[in-house]
Amino acid sequence: MKDILEAPFLIEMVRTAANMYSHGWDERNGGNISLRLDEADAAQHLDTSAAIRDIPTGFEAPELEGLCFLVTGAGKYFKNIPYDPARNLGIIRIVQGGNTARLLWGLSDGGSFTSELPAHLMSHAARLRADPRQRVVMHCHPSNLLAMTYVHDLDERAFTRTLWQMCTECVMVFPDGVNVLPWMLCGTNEIGRATADKMETARLVVWAQHGIYGAGADLDETFGLIETAEKAAEIYLKIAHLPLKATLSDSAIRQIAAHTGVTPREGWLE
Ligand code: 2HA
Ligand code: ZN
């Protein structure tokens, strides 16, 4: 069996977490990531029939039965992931209809999976229905997007339109726009279900006064999605209080979309 610390999926996870930390998106134990593993890939690096311990999840996710996920641990600091991946990360298999996460590797100090597992797993299920390539759910606290939720209308169309108007790239990167949840208590099944509902129509879901969720086919793509939205929010906060001399018009955004072959969310451009 190959060394798990040399598994491309593990290396990429560690690098991504470190990069998110260095962007300032994951202070202290903020943020969490889950990556759906390919069974054959995982089997090259760990005993996938292992059952180190079973951890109850407190919710059902029958569509995910049998699937394996590499996840960040509850209370773990992204800053520390590169120094001790086996302590700060875990590989779980979803069993008993989603009621149980069977630990196959990691969480070596006896810890548990991320407190946001409901939002992650329910979002995986929702995105898998929309896109079979779906593998990653990523949550973090980027400052500009978070700040924007204090001063911008939280209407999803209005919020998305502002982001699309801030950078030429935005409509190409998230043509489905950004959905927004009002503030809710985190770490619960309720916010998990609400996030997954929002994930049915967009790969980005803002949690007002908290942070953002992104979903995608791989770590790079999902990181890039959040990075692009966060950049747009940064531009917005730089200009929102200044007299506007120019804007990216709906017609310009339509041209960008047509040129790059993406379809902006129906009805979100005038
Ligand atoms: O604890 O970001 O939303 C990690 C979080 C909770
Ligand atoms: Zn959070």
Side-chain angles (χ1 to χ4, degrees):
M1 193 162 313
K2 298 187 195 164
D3 182 355
I4 185 148
L5 296 178
E6 285 168 20
F9 59 78
L10 196 95
I11 292 173
E12 198 54 27
M13 182 79 154
V14 170
R15 285 184 182 161
T16 302
N19 197 14
M20 291 171 76
Y21 175 72
S22 63
H23 275 66
W25 299 350
D26 297 278
E27 73 291 342
R28 199 174 183 273
N29 64 318
N32 21 76
I33 314 175
S34 57
L35 165 67
R36 179 169 61 88
L37 297 179
D38 178 71
E39 182 84 32
D41 239 12
Q44 290 190 33
H45 299 274
L46 71 144
D47 175 7
T48 52
S49 64
I52 300 172
R53 52 198 161 91
D54 278 359
I55 315 175
T57 64
F59 60 88
E60 320 252 307
E63 299 143 277
L64 303 179
E65 177 73 29
L67 298 182
C68 291
F69 294 89
L70 172 59
V71 298
T72 50
K76 298 295 192 274
Y77 293 21
F78 271 36
K79 174 175 77 68
N80 296 336
I81 291 176
Y83 305 111
D84 197 347
R87 181 187 179 100
N88 295 297
L89 303 174
I91 295 177
I92 54 174
R93 185 190 296 286
I94 304 306
V95 295
Q96 292 168 348
N99 272 301
T100 299
R102 176 156 296 156
L103 184 65
L104 309 183
W105 173 86
L107 300 176
S108 61
D109 62 350
S112 186
F113 46 72
T114 165
S115 60
E116 301 292 1
L117 196 71
H120 279 253
L121 291 192
M122 293 178 199
S123 294
H124 275 288
R127 289 308 310 166
L128 272 168
R129 285 193 290 272
D131 179 2
R133 297 178 318 127
Q134 162 62 28
R135 284 197 181 274
V136 175
V137 173
M138 186 180 281
H139 166 62
C140 56
H141 306 157
S143 306
N144 296 290
L145 279 164
L146 215 164
M148 197 170 151
T149 67
Y150 287 88
V151 296
H152 196 282
D153 185 349
L154 295 181
D155 172 75
E156 292 167 341
R157 180 174 180 272
F159 202 94
T160 296
R161 288 176 53 80
T162 296
L163 294 178
W164 280 351
Q165 286 161 3
M166 293 304 110
C167 317
T168 295
E169 293 275 315
C170 282
V171 75
M172 300 181 213
V173 177
F174 48 96
D176 43 356
V178 170
N179 285 339
V180 182
L181 273 189
W183 186 89
M184 289 174 76
L185 184 63
C186 59
T188 65
N189 290 349
E190 287 66 39
I191 200 168
R193 272 190 290 274
T195 307
D197 283 350
K198 296 288 186 190
M199 282 281 179
E200 285 180 8
T201 49
R203 293 169 302 145
L204 284 170
V205 179
V206 168
W207 280 8
Q209 293 86 49
H210 182 138
I212 192 162
Y213 267 76
D218 60 40
L219 287 161
D220 239 13
E221 178 187 303
T222 315
F223 180 95
L225 197 56
I226 294 176
E227 185 182 30
T228 307
E230 169 62 0
K231 173 72 171 271
E234 181 180 357
I235 308 292
Y236 173 72
L237 292 177
K238 282 186 197 292
I239 65 168
H241 59 294
L242 298 173
L244 271 191
K245 302 264 192 210
T247 172
L248 199 51
S249 67
D250 282 40
S251 145
I253 296 171
R254 261 187 223 290
Q255 284 180 55
I256 302 159
H259 189 67
T260 49
V262 301
T263 310
R265 180 97 155 248
E266 177 75 38
W268 284 23
L269 288 173
E270 321 235 282

